[in-house]
């Protein structure tokens, strides 16, 4: 296939009113421009070239390996394409041009557009759609059913404004013709910009074949220029993602109030309650229950896990674990099967072996806890001396009484028992009892 794509992403995005470059705003967790590049990579194009300008360094941080050219001054979409001239001059094929701000476009749509362009042997093919309220988009002007040009909102007369077929901002061009025609566009318009869309009228004058490929689903071509449109795109994308999960067998109680990012995988019969936020490369197994007010990011979760009102980050949770309410798993934690962590328990960079229970008000950091050990309420691994972090190791079947401070580095042996309220600074051997607290004193009738 002789296809290259060109993605325009140099503009300031003034209407977005943001410090962040417009195309880096995220739709369901993915920066718009990244989404477009990903989609383009799937349609068999041999090169995807970005046009970058405004805050290009920030965009390159997100897409470090992308091929790009710089448009120093943003003088319009036509001017943007001219910047790629050097790169494209020896290329004899089709160039698909897209905008960095239309993240909802589907792979199938782009493939269909390309095939249509090839089948009709057009020089230029424009992706179009019908909008009841076409405000802001370029209008497709036709004569006897043939496209004769695109007119932008700013230049549109009231008659043109009433046209509902709009330019999606996606086109297929034959490269040689495009490069020649671009030399002939000017900036004599309301915005003083070089419009890529002016190429169409020139094509028509030259007697070249221009086609419009009409897309039924007009949601797909939504261009994101403002925060209002960004919210709209998030809603549409969220719906797509959520419907797909339900089709795969996931139960969503309220699809409009469940926030699942694109890369997340969820197994059959898992129930997701309203208000859940599932992010990054999270994988959730089957028959889990994820209750509201839970945020899970980059975690791997087994089957039959229940999580309530908790935050889980970059951790592994095996099957039949229960978490929460109000627990916090911080990065690099690993909860093995049947572990329970409950109310106000924080775990960081720790391994909790099978069946460990820490039900209440506990901090376990840089620790390993052996199978079936019970951690009493208010236990804290004191892992930090102000400069360095130290490890706590607790053997299996141990019992740590409530309100215990385990001053790391420290080891508690298998089957050991630590009395409530202890401050443990020395290792406790297996099977031993350790108590470290002042003896209780009673003074009778003291109040009198
Ligand atoms: C553009 C189209 C319009 C179409 C709409 C679809 C033109 C003149 N108009 O309008 O017909 O209906 O998209 O969404 O093409 N950009 C650059 N360099 C520039 C200017 C823009 O790279 O000098 C980039 C922007 O970063 C953006 C894209 O091109 O990603 C489109 O620019 P934008 O200003 O959003 O164009 P629209 O006014 O939406
Ligand atoms: Ca736009």
């Amino acid at each position: 296939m002789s296809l290259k794509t060109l993605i325009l992403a140099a503009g300031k995005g003034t209407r977005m009113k943001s410090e962040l470059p417009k195309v880096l705003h995220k739709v369901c967790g993915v920066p718009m421009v990244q989404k477009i590049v990903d989609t383009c990579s799937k349609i068999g194009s041999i090169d995807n070239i970005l046009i970058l300008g405004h805050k290009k360094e920030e965009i390159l941080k997100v897409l470090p390996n992308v091929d790009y050219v710089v448009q120093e001054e943003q003088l319009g979409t036509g001017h943007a394409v001219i910047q790629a001239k050097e790169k494209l001059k020896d290329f004899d094929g089709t160039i698909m041009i897209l905008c960095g701000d239309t993240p909802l476009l589907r792979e199938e749509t782009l493939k269909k557009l390309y095939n249509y362009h090839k089948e009709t042997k057009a020089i230029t093919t424009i992706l179009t759609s019908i909008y009841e309220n076409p405000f802001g988009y370029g209008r497709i002007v036709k004569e006897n059913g043939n496209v004769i040009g695109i007119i932008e909102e700013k230049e549109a007369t009231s008659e043109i404004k009433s046209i509902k077929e709009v330019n999606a901002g996606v086109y297929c061009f034959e490269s040689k013709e495009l490069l020649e025609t671009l030399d002939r566009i000017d900036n004599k318009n309301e915005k003083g910009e070089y419009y890529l869309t002016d190429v169409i009228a020139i094509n028509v004058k030259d007697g070249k074949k221009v086609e419009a490929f009409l897309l039924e689903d007009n949601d797909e071509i939504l261009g994101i220029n403002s925060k209002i449109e960004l919210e709209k795109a998030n809603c549409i994308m969220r719906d797509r993602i959520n419907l797909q999960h339900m089709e795969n067998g996931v139960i969503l109680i309220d699809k409009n109030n469940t926030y699942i990012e694109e890369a997340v995988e969820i197994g059959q019969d898992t129930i997701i309650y309203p208000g859940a936020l599932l992010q990054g490369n999270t994988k959730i197994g089957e028959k889990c229950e994820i209750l509201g007010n839970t945020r899970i990011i980059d975690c791997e979760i087994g089957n039959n896990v229940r999580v309530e009102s908790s935050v889980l980050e970059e951790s592994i949770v095996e099957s039949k674990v229960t978490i929460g309410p109000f627990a916090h798993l911080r990065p690099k934690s690993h909860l093995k099967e049947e572990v329970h962590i409950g109310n106000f328990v924080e775990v960081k960079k720790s391994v909790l072996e099978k069946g460990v229970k820490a039900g209440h008000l506990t901090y376990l950091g840089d620790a390993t806890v052996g199978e079936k050990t019970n951690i009493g309420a208010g236990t804290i691994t004191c892992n930090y001396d102000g400069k360095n972090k130290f490890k706590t190791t607790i053997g299996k079947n141990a019992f740590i009484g409530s309100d215990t401070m385990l001053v790391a580095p420290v080891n508690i042996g298998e089957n050991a028992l630590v009395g409530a309220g202890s401050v443990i600074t020395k290792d406790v051997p297996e099977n031993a009892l350790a108590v470290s607290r002042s003896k209780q004193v009673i003074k009778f009738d003291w109040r009198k």
Side-chain angles (χ1 to χ4, degrees):
M1 189 189 279
S2 192
L3 170 69
K4 291 190 179 193
T5 70
L6 205 60
I7 300 162
L8 312 186
K12 285 204 179 65
T14 319
R15 290 167 280 177
M16 199 68 165
K17 299 200 177 132
S18 177
E19 289 264 304
L20 190 71
K22 174 170 83 170
V23 296
L24 288 187
H25 280 273
K26 290 180 181 173
V27 174
C28 290
V30 183
M32 297 190 228
V33 66
Q34 179 168 0
K35 177 70 189 168
I36 287 274
V37 172
D38 289 349
T39 310
C40 286
S41 310
K42 290 182 195 151
I43 61 168
S45 120
I46 52 175
D47 193 9
N48 305 311
I49 306 162
L50 258 71
I51 309 289
L52 299 179
H54 179 68
K55 296 198 174 172
K56 62 174 187 297
E57 297 76 18
E58 286 185 46
I59 296 169
L60 288 171
K61 261 186 226 154
V62 175
L63 295 166
N65 301 318
V66 85
D67 192 4
Y68 69 98
V69 289
V70 178
Q71 183 193 21
E72 292 294 353
E73 261 186 302
Q74 286 81 55
L75 304 177
T77 47
H79 179 260
V81 176
I82 293 171
Q83 311 311 304
K85 209 169 177 175
E86 265 307 299
K87 237 186 209 311
L88 294 172
K89 70 176 193 303
D90 298 324
F91 175 63
D92 188 12
T94 304
I95 302 174
M96 187 183 287
I97 299 187
L98 309 98
C99 297
D101 66 351
T102 51
L104 300 176
L105 283 168
R106 294 178 199 264
E107 176 192 340
E108 303 83 72
T109 301
L110 300 185
K111 281 183 182 158
K112 278 187 206 157
L113 171 71
Y114 177 73
N115 290 339
Y116 186 82
H117 177 72
K118 283 282 148 195
E119 278 159 23
T120 58
K121 298 199 167 65
I123 284 299
T124 300
T125 305
I126 312 154
L127 183 69
T128 71
S129 201
I130 306 288
Y131 268 147
E132 268 317 301
N133 176 13
F135 180 85
Y137 288 87
R139 308 297 204 285
I140 306 296
V141 187
K142 286 182 171 170
E143 215 174 68
N144 305 323
N146 299 318
V147 180
I148 58 162
I150 299 178
I151 297 190
E152 295 301 309
E153 181 75 36
K154 288 247 165 150
E155 286 77 37
T157 59
S158 57
E159 194 190 337
I160 296 287
K161 278 183 184 160
S162 69
I163 297 175
K164 290 183 174 150
E165 185 172 5
V166 302
N167 169 24
V170 184
Y171 326 77
C172 283
F173 293 102
E174 285 312 296
S175 60
K176 297 274 178 230
E177 271 85 359
L178 174 66
L179 296 183
E180 280 164 24
T181 317
L182 278 174
D183 286 337
R184 293 156 62 194
I185 63 172
D186 61 35
N187 61 352
K188 295 188 185 97
N189 52 48
E190 285 295 315
K191 279 176 130 180
E193 288 187 357
Y194 294 89
Y195 291 163
L196 175 61
T197 44
D198 284 353
V199 164
I200 283 80
I202 302 177
N203 281 161
V204 173
K205 261 191 214 125
D206 291 349
K208 300 272 164 70
K209 191 171 162 73
V210 177
E211 287 284 338
F213 180 71
L214 182 73
L215 187 65
E216 302 284 334
D217 172 11
N218 61 23
D219 277 352
E220 255 188 74
I221 69 154
L222 182 69
I224 318 301
N225 301 302
S226 67
K227 300 250 166 78
I228 293 174
E229 285 161 341
L230 182 64
E231 192 267 352
K232 202 171 167 193
N234 266 298
C235 285
I236 295 167
M237 188 64 95
R238 182 159 68 237
D239 220 46
R240 273 192 203 171
I241 293 173
N242 290 352
L243 290 172
Q244 185 62 56
H245 284 296
M246 290 190 279
E247 243 165 59
N248 295 348
V250 179
I251 302 166
L252 302 185
I253 302 297
D254 174 4
K255 77 168 169 55
N256 298 323
N257 194 11
T258 304
Y259 307 87
I260 306 175
E261 290 184 358
E262 261 207 296
V264 174
E265 293 172 25
I266 309 174
Q268 211 168 293
D269 286 327
T270 283
I271 309 180
I272 315 282
Y273 285 81
L277 185 51
L278 311 178
Q279 301 180 295
N281 289 314
T282 291
K283 283 196 181 73
I284 299 178
E286 297 181 355
K287 303 190 192 81
C288 294
E289 267 185 289
I290 310 296
L291 285 96
N293 231 347
T294 288
R295 184 167 92 96
I296 304 179
I297 177 161
D298 295 327
C299 287
E300 206 175 299
I301 294 182
N303 300 326
N304 297 92
V305 169
R306 184 187 153 90
V307 185
E308 181 165 8
S309 300
S310 295
V311 176
L312 281 51
E313 306 169 82
E314 296 167 43
S315 290
I316 299 172
V317 175
E318 295 191 9
S319 294
K320 296 185 199 156
V321 165
T322 52
I323 297 177
F326 316 118
H328 187 184
L329 264 192
R330 287 171 50 207
K332 297 197 179 131
S333 295
H334 186 161
L335 308 190
K336 301 216 177 151
E337 279 190 24
E338 292 167 33
V339 161
H340 167 65
I341 62 167
N343 307 267
F344 307 103
V345 172
E346 175 181 343
V347 179
K348 186 216 82 174
K349 210 178 177 185
S350 294
V351 179
L352 275 54
E353 294 290 343
K354 187 172 174 186
V356 167
K357 291 195 166 43
H360 333 264
L361 304 161
T362 286
Y363 173 63
L364 298 169
D366 305 302
T368 57
V369 183
E371 246 180 78
K372 291 207 166 133
T373 283
N374 189 78
I375 308 287
T379 297
I380 289 173
T381 54
C382 311
N383 60 333
Y384 185 51
D385 65 0
K387 270 193 187 146
N388 297 304
K389 300 274 170 71
F390 299 96
K391 287 198 170 118
T392 301
T393 311
I394 305 174
K396 63 183 180 192
N397 291 316
F399 184 96
I400 310 297
S402 296
D403 193 30
T404 294
M405 300 294 122
L406 299 164
V407 182
V410 72
N411 301 299
I412 312 291
E414 275 180 40
N415 239 0
L417 201 146
V418 175
S422 293
V423 176
I424 300 295
T425 53
K426 292 185 205 125
D427 288 357
V428 178
E430 56 181 45
N431 297 311
L433 164 68
V435 196
S436 138
R437 61 189 185 216
S438 42
K439 285 223 166 77
Q440 184 169 324
V441 175
I442 297 205
K443 305 212 169 169
F444 290 101
D445 295 332
W446 176 257
R447 292 277 278 175
K448 288 182 187 165

